[in-house]
Short mmCIF file of all heavy atoms in Angstrom, two decimals:
data_model
loop_
_atom_site.label_atom_id
_atom_site.label_comp_id
_atom_site.label_asym_id
_atom_site.label_seq_id
_atom_site.Cartn_x
_atom_site.Cartn_y
_atom_site.Cartn_z
N GLY A 1 0.88 -1.15 -0.09
CA GLY A 1 0.04 0.01 0.09
C GLY A 1 0.84 1.28 -0.03
O GLY A 1 2.05 1.13 -0.33
N GLU A 2 0.28 2.38 0.27
CA GLU A 2 0.96 3.71 0.32
C GLU A 2 1.54 3.93 1.73
O GLU A 2 0.79 3.88 2.69
CB GLU A 2 -0.02 4.79 -0.05
CG GLU A 2 0.62 6.12 0.06
CD GLU A 2 -0.26 7.23 -0.18
OE1 GLU A 2 -1.56 6.94 -0.52
OE2 GLU A 2 0.03 8.52 0.01
N ILE A 3 2.77 4.08 1.79
CA ILE A 3 3.49 4.38 3.10
C ILE A 3 3.18 5.75 3.49
O ILE A 3 3.58 6.67 2.79
CB ILE A 3 4.98 4.13 3.01
CG1 ILE A 3 5.20 2.72 2.75
CG2 ILE A 3 5.60 4.58 4.42
CD1 ILE A 3 6.70 2.41 2.57
N LEU A 4 2.52 6.02 4.59
CA LEU A 4 2.13 7.39 5.04
C LEU A 4 3.30 8.07 5.91
O LEU A 4 3.47 9.23 5.85
CB LEU A 4 0.90 7.33 5.74
CG LEU A 4 -0.40 6.86 5.19
CD1 LEU A 4 -1.52 6.65 6.15
CD2 LEU A 4 -0.73 7.75 4.07
N ARG A 5 3.99 7.20 6.64
CA ARG A 5 4.80 7.57 7.71
C ARG A 5 5.76 6.45 8.03
O ARG A 5 5.18 5.45 8.24
CB ARG A 5 4.14 8.36 8.76
CG ARG A 5 4.94 9.01 9.84
CD ARG A 5 4.04 9.36 10.97
NE ARG A 5 4.76 10.26 11.90
CZ ARG A 5 4.57 11.55 12.00
NH1 ARG A 5 3.70 12.23 11.12
NH2 ARG A 5 5.32 12.27 12.92
N GLN A 6 6.90 6.63 8.36
CA GLN A 6 7.79 5.82 9.09
C GLN A 6 8.36 6.41 10.33
O GLN A 6 8.59 7.59 10.32
CB GLN A 6 9.06 5.18 8.32
CG GLN A 6 8.53 4.38 7.10
CD GLN A 6 9.93 3.73 6.39
OE1 GLN A 6 10.90 4.26 6.46
NE2 GLN A 6 9.66 2.50 5.90
N ASP A 7 8.24 5.58 11.42
CA ASP A 7 8.53 6.16 12.80
C ASP A 7 9.34 5.16 13.63
O ASP A 7 9.25 3.97 13.37
CB ASP A 7 7.18 6.43 13.55
CG ASP A 7 7.24 7.57 14.52
OD1 ASP A 7 8.32 7.95 14.78
OD2 ASP A 7 6.21 7.85 15.00
N ALA A 8 10.03 5.69 14.59
CA ALA A 8 10.85 4.88 15.49
C ALA A 8 9.86 4.37 16.53
O ALA A 8 8.97 4.91 16.97
CB ALA A 8 11.84 5.69 16.14
N THR A 9 10.23 3.06 16.89
CA THR A 9 9.42 2.48 17.99
C THR A 9 10.32 2.70 19.28
O THR A 9 11.49 2.28 19.29
CB THR A 9 9.25 0.97 17.72
OG1 THR A 9 8.61 0.78 16.47
CG2 THR A 9 8.43 0.25 18.82
N VAL A 10 9.80 3.19 20.38
CA VAL A 10 10.50 3.61 21.53
C VAL A 10 9.91 2.89 22.81
O VAL A 10 8.65 2.52 22.90
CB VAL A 10 10.49 5.06 21.72
CG1 VAL A 10 11.25 5.63 20.66
CG2 VAL A 10 9.11 5.58 21.75
N TRP A 11 10.66 2.76 23.90
CA TRP A 11 10.24 2.39 25.12
C TRP A 11 9.72 3.59 25.91
O TRP A 11 10.36 4.67 25.74
CB TRP A 11 11.31 1.72 25.95
CG TRP A 11 11.86 0.53 25.35
CD1 TRP A 11 13.05 0.32 24.54
CD2 TRP A 11 11.46 -0.96 25.48
NE1 TRP A 11 13.27 -0.89 24.14
CE2 TRP A 11 12.32 -1.73 24.70
CE3 TRP A 11 10.37 -1.43 26.01
CZ2 TRP A 11 12.16 -3.06 24.68
CZ3 TRP A 11 10.10 -2.85 26.05
CH2 TRP A 11 11.10 -3.60 25.27
N VAL A 12 8.69 3.45 26.67
CA VAL A 12 8.19 4.60 27.30
C VAL A 12 7.84 4.34 28.76
O VAL A 12 7.41 3.08 29.14
CB VAL A 12 6.91 5.17 26.74
CG1 VAL A 12 7.24 5.95 25.37
CG2 VAL A 12 5.79 4.12 26.51
N VAL A 13 8.02 5.24 29.77
CA VAL A 13 7.63 5.12 31.08
C VAL A 13 7.15 6.36 31.64
O VAL A 13 7.47 7.52 31.07
CB VAL A 13 8.85 4.57 31.87
CG1 VAL A 13 9.91 5.71 31.96
CG2 VAL A 13 8.54 4.11 33.27
N ALA A 14 6.35 6.33 32.81
CA ALA A 14 5.88 7.66 33.28
C ALA A 14 7.04 8.53 33.84
O ALA A 14 8.08 7.86 34.35
CB ALA A 14 4.94 7.32 34.41
N GLU A 15 6.99 9.73 33.70
CA GLU A 15 8.20 10.57 33.99
C GLU A 15 8.48 10.55 35.45
O GLU A 15 9.56 10.68 35.87
CB GLU A 15 7.94 12.10 33.49
CG GLU A 15 8.15 12.39 32.11
CD GLU A 15 7.89 13.81 31.78
OE1 GLU A 15 7.28 14.51 32.66
OE2 GLU A 15 8.41 14.29 30.68
N SER A 16 7.45 10.36 36.26
CA SER A 16 7.64 10.48 37.77
C SER A 16 7.88 9.17 38.38
O SER A 16 7.85 9.01 39.60
CB SER A 16 6.43 11.09 38.30
OG SER A 16 5.29 10.36 38.02
N HIS A 17 8.19 8.11 37.54
CA HIS A 17 8.34 6.80 38.21
C HIS A 17 9.60 6.17 37.70
O HIS A 17 10.15 6.41 36.65
CB HIS A 17 7.11 5.81 37.69
CG HIS A 17 5.95 6.28 38.45
ND1 HIS A 17 5.49 5.68 39.58
CD2 HIS A 17 4.94 7.10 38.01
CE1 HIS A 17 4.31 6.27 39.95
NE2 HIS A 17 3.88 7.04 38.98
N SER A 18 10.26 5.25 38.42
CA SER A 18 11.44 4.55 38.15
C SER A 18 11.12 3.11 37.87
O SER A 18 11.92 2.20 38.12
CB SER A 18 12.54 4.76 39.17
OG SER A 18 12.08 4.33 40.46
N LEU A 19 9.98 2.81 37.42
CA LEU A 19 9.49 1.44 37.20
C LEU A 19 10.40 0.64 36.34
O LEU A 19 10.41 -0.47 36.43
CB LEU A 19 8.05 1.52 36.67
CG LEU A 19 7.26 0.21 36.79
CD1 LEU A 19 6.83 -0.08 38.25
CD2 LEU A 19 6.05 0.32 35.83
N HIS A 20 11.08 1.33 35.50
CA HIS A 20 11.98 0.59 34.50
C HIS A 20 13.06 -0.04 35.23
O HIS A 20 13.73 -0.77 34.43
CB HIS A 20 12.45 1.49 33.42
CG HIS A 20 13.23 2.73 33.86
ND1 HIS A 20 12.54 3.75 34.67
CD2 HIS A 20 14.50 3.03 33.86
CE1 HIS A 20 13.59 4.56 35.07
NE2 HIS A 20 14.75 4.16 34.58
N GLN A 21 13.32 0.21 36.48
CA GLN A 21 14.44 -0.48 37.10
C GLN A 21 14.04 -1.65 37.82
O GLN A 21 14.91 -2.45 38.49
CB GLN A 21 15.03 0.56 38.14
CG GLN A 21 15.64 1.80 37.54
CD GLN A 21 16.11 2.76 38.47
OE1 GLN A 21 15.90 2.61 39.79
NE2 GLN A 21 16.58 3.85 38.03
N GLN A 22 12.69 -2.00 37.77
CA GLN A 22 12.25 -3.21 38.61
C GLN A 22 12.58 -4.48 37.89
O GLN A 22 12.81 -4.67 36.65
CB GLN A 22 10.76 -3.22 38.69
CG GLN A 22 10.21 -2.16 39.63
CD GLN A 22 8.74 -2.26 39.99
OE1 GLN A 22 8.18 -3.32 39.55
NE2 GLN A 22 8.10 -1.34 40.59
N THR A 23 12.82 -5.62 38.60
CA THR A 23 12.94 -6.95 38.00
C THR A 23 12.01 -7.95 38.80
O THR A 23 11.96 -7.99 39.95
CB THR A 23 14.35 -7.37 38.32
OG1 THR A 23 15.31 -6.44 37.64
CG2 THR A 23 14.67 -8.78 37.67
N PRO A 24 11.13 -8.67 38.04
CA PRO A 24 11.06 -8.57 36.51
C PRO A 24 10.24 -7.33 36.15
O PRO A 24 9.51 -6.73 36.84
CB PRO A 24 10.32 -9.79 36.20
CG PRO A 24 9.41 -10.05 37.40
CD PRO A 24 10.25 -9.77 38.62
N LEU A 25 10.66 -6.80 34.96
CA LEU A 25 10.02 -5.55 34.47
C LEU A 25 8.65 -5.83 34.02
O LEU A 25 8.26 -6.64 33.20
CB LEU A 25 10.95 -5.17 33.10
CG LEU A 25 10.38 -3.91 32.44
CD1 LEU A 25 10.79 -2.74 33.30
CD2 LEU A 25 11.03 -3.76 31.06
N PRO A 26 7.76 -5.00 34.64
CA PRO A 26 6.29 -5.09 34.22
C PRO A 26 6.02 -4.29 32.96
O PRO A 26 6.42 -3.16 32.66
CB PRO A 26 5.56 -4.44 35.42
CG PRO A 26 6.54 -3.43 35.98
CD PRO A 26 7.96 -4.05 35.73
N LEU A 27 5.42 -5.12 31.98
CA LEU A 27 5.12 -4.45 30.56
C LEU A 27 3.56 -4.26 30.39
O LEU A 27 2.86 -5.12 30.90
CB LEU A 27 5.76 -5.43 29.52
CG LEU A 27 7.24 -5.55 29.46
CD1 LEU A 27 7.63 -6.52 28.39
CD2 LEU A 27 7.90 -4.19 29.29
N ALA A 28 3.28 -3.38 29.59
CA ALA A 28 1.97 -3.17 29.22
C ALA A 28 2.04 -3.18 27.59
O ALA A 28 2.67 -2.24 27.01
CB ALA A 28 1.34 -1.79 29.68
N LEU A 29 1.55 -4.15 26.78
CA LEU A 29 1.73 -4.32 25.54
C LEU A 29 0.41 -4.61 24.73
O LEU A 29 -0.52 -4.82 25.36
CB LEU A 29 2.73 -5.43 25.21
CG LEU A 29 4.01 -5.36 25.77
CD1 LEU A 29 4.92 -6.64 25.59
CD2 LEU A 29 4.86 -4.16 25.29
N PHE A 30 0.44 -4.27 23.43
CA PHE A 30 -0.77 -4.60 22.59
C PHE A 30 -0.92 -6.11 22.64
O PHE A 30 0.03 -6.81 22.75
CB PHE A 30 -0.57 -4.11 21.17
CG PHE A 30 -0.51 -2.67 20.96
CD1 PHE A 30 0.72 -2.00 20.76
CD2 PHE A 30 -1.77 -1.98 21.19
CE1 PHE A 30 0.59 -0.52 20.71
CE2 PHE A 30 -1.82 -0.50 21.02
CZ PHE A 30 -0.70 0.15 20.81
N GLU A 31 -2.06 -6.49 22.34
CA GLU A 31 -2.52 -7.95 22.32
C GLU A 31 -1.84 -8.52 21.09
O GLU A 31 -1.59 -7.91 20.12
CB GLU A 31 -4.02 -8.08 22.18
CG GLU A 31 -4.85 -7.87 23.48
CD GLU A 31 -6.33 -7.99 23.32
OE1 GLU A 31 -6.75 -8.16 22.17
OE2 GLU A 31 -6.94 -7.99 24.34
N GLU A 32 -1.59 -9.86 21.22
CA GLU A 32 -1.20 -10.69 20.04
C GLU A 32 -2.35 -10.68 18.93
O GLU A 32 -3.59 -10.71 19.42
CB GLU A 32 -0.84 -12.07 20.49
CG GLU A 32 0.41 -12.15 21.27
CD GLU A 32 1.64 -12.02 20.54
OE1 GLU A 32 1.59 -11.60 19.32
OE2 GLU A 32 2.66 -12.29 20.98
N PRO A 33 -1.97 -10.81 17.70
CA PRO A 33 -0.69 -10.71 17.03
C PRO A 33 -0.36 -9.21 16.97
O PRO A 33 -1.09 -8.48 16.42
CB PRO A 33 -0.95 -11.47 15.74
CG PRO A 33 -2.37 -11.17 15.34
CD PRO A 33 -3.08 -11.04 16.64
N CYS A 34 0.85 -8.88 17.39
CA CYS A 34 1.41 -7.57 17.24
C CYS A 34 2.84 -7.72 17.07
O CYS A 34 3.64 -8.17 18.08
CB CYS A 34 1.02 -6.72 18.52
SG CYS A 34 1.70 -5.08 18.58
N PHE A 35 3.41 -7.15 16.00
CA PHE A 35 4.90 -7.28 15.73
C PHE A 35 5.55 -6.42 16.81
O PHE A 35 6.67 -6.74 17.10
CB PHE A 35 5.21 -7.03 14.40
CG PHE A 35 5.18 -5.53 13.89
CD1 PHE A 35 6.16 -4.58 14.24
CD2 PHE A 35 3.99 -4.97 13.36
CE1 PHE A 35 5.96 -3.24 13.90
CE2 PHE A 35 3.80 -3.73 12.93
CZ PHE A 35 4.85 -2.79 13.32
N CYS A 36 5.04 -5.31 17.25
CA CYS A 36 5.78 -4.41 18.22
C CYS A 36 5.92 -5.21 19.54
O CYS A 36 6.90 -5.14 20.18
CB CYS A 36 4.82 -3.28 18.47
SG CYS A 36 5.64 -1.93 19.50
N ARG A 37 4.79 -5.91 19.99
CA ARG A 37 4.87 -6.78 21.17
C ARG A 37 6.00 -7.87 20.94
O ARG A 37 6.92 -8.02 21.84
CB ARG A 37 3.47 -7.34 21.41
CG ARG A 37 3.55 -8.42 22.54
CD ARG A 37 2.22 -9.01 22.72
NE ARG A 37 2.19 -9.99 23.75
CZ ARG A 37 1.14 -10.03 24.69
NH1 ARG A 37 0.20 -9.18 24.69
NH2 ARG A 37 1.22 -10.92 25.61
N ARG A 38 5.97 -8.47 19.76
CA ARG A 38 7.04 -9.44 19.52
C ARG A 38 8.36 -8.95 19.56
O ARG A 38 9.34 -9.51 20.27
CB ARG A 38 6.78 -10.20 18.16
CG ARG A 38 7.67 -11.32 17.95
CD ARG A 38 7.30 -12.04 16.54
NE ARG A 38 7.58 -11.23 15.39
CZ ARG A 38 6.68 -10.60 14.69
NH1 ARG A 38 5.43 -10.67 14.94
NH2 ARG A 38 7.15 -9.90 13.57
N HIS A 39 8.60 -7.76 18.99
CA HIS A 39 9.98 -7.24 18.96
C HIS A 39 10.43 -6.83 20.26
O HIS A 39 11.49 -6.98 20.71
CB HIS A 39 10.06 -6.06 18.00
CG HIS A 39 10.05 -6.41 16.51
ND1 HIS A 39 10.91 -7.27 16.03
CD2 HIS A 39 9.32 -5.88 15.42
CE1 HIS A 39 10.77 -7.33 14.79
NE2 HIS A 39 9.74 -6.53 14.39
N ALA A 40 9.46 -6.22 21.14
CA ALA A 40 9.87 -5.85 22.49
C ALA A 40 10.29 -7.01 23.26
O ALA A 40 11.31 -7.02 24.07
CB ALA A 40 8.60 -5.08 23.05
N CYS A 41 9.49 -8.07 23.37
CA CYS A 41 9.71 -9.22 24.09
C CYS A 41 11.05 -9.92 23.68
O CYS A 41 11.90 -10.29 24.49
CB CYS A 41 8.64 -10.26 24.09
SG CYS A 41 7.09 -9.71 24.89
N ASN A 42 11.26 -9.96 22.30
CA ASN A 42 12.45 -10.61 21.90
C ASN A 42 13.74 -9.88 22.25
O ASN A 42 14.81 -10.43 22.56
CB ASN A 42 12.49 -10.83 20.38
CG ASN A 42 11.43 -11.82 19.96
OD1 ASN A 42 10.96 -12.75 20.76
ND2 ASN A 42 11.08 -11.71 18.64
N ALA A 43 13.63 -8.45 22.12
CA ALA A 43 14.73 -7.58 22.47
C ALA A 43 15.19 -7.68 24.00
O ALA A 43 16.35 -7.79 24.26
CB ALA A 43 14.30 -6.09 22.19
N LEU A 44 14.16 -7.83 24.83
CA LEU A 44 14.52 -7.98 26.16
C LEU A 44 15.09 -9.32 26.42
O LEU A 44 16.03 -9.48 27.34
CB LEU A 44 13.17 -7.72 27.03
CG LEU A 44 12.58 -6.39 27.08
CD1 LEU A 44 11.31 -6.35 27.81
CD2 LEU A 44 13.69 -5.40 27.75
N ALA A 45 14.52 -10.29 25.85
CA ALA A 45 15.14 -11.72 25.97
C ALA A 45 16.60 -11.80 25.56
O ALA A 45 17.32 -12.33 26.24
CB ALA A 45 14.29 -12.72 25.26
N ARG A 46 16.87 -11.14 24.36
CA ARG A 46 18.25 -11.13 23.85
C ARG A 46 19.19 -10.43 24.90
O ARG A 46 20.39 -10.72 25.07
CB ARG A 46 18.25 -10.50 22.54
CG ARG A 46 17.77 -11.40 21.36
CD ARG A 46 18.16 -10.84 20.09
NE ARG A 46 17.64 -9.57 19.88
CZ ARG A 46 16.46 -9.28 19.28
NH1 ARG A 46 15.74 -10.27 18.93
NH2 ARG A 46 16.09 -7.98 19.08
#
C-alpha cells in the first residue's frame, strides 16, 4: 500500500516513576498478534 509515515518504536515510562528499574520488568503491550509486542519481548530476552 501507500506508506504514510515511518516512525521509530520507543520504550516509554511515566516521567515520575522509576518502574523501568524493577525486576522482573512489568510491561503493558498490545494484544497478540502484534509485531511491536514481539519485537519488544524478543529484544528484552536477547
Side-chain angles (χ1 to χ4, degrees):
E2 178 188 352
I3 298 177
L4 300 173
R5 186 188 188 104
Q6 287 191 331
D7 205 350
T9 306
V10 296
W11 300 97
V12 290
V13 68
E15 282 184 343
S16 57
H17 293 266
S18 57
L19 195 72
H20 58 288
Q21 298 175 357
Q22 287 188 13
T23 301
L25 178 71
L27 295 177
L29 299 175
F30 289 108
E31 288 181 351
E32 293 280 17
C34 172
F35 70 87
C36 185
R37 175 182 178 132
R38 185 175 71 252
H39 285 311
C41 293
N42 288 344
L44 292 174
R46 287 194 300 268

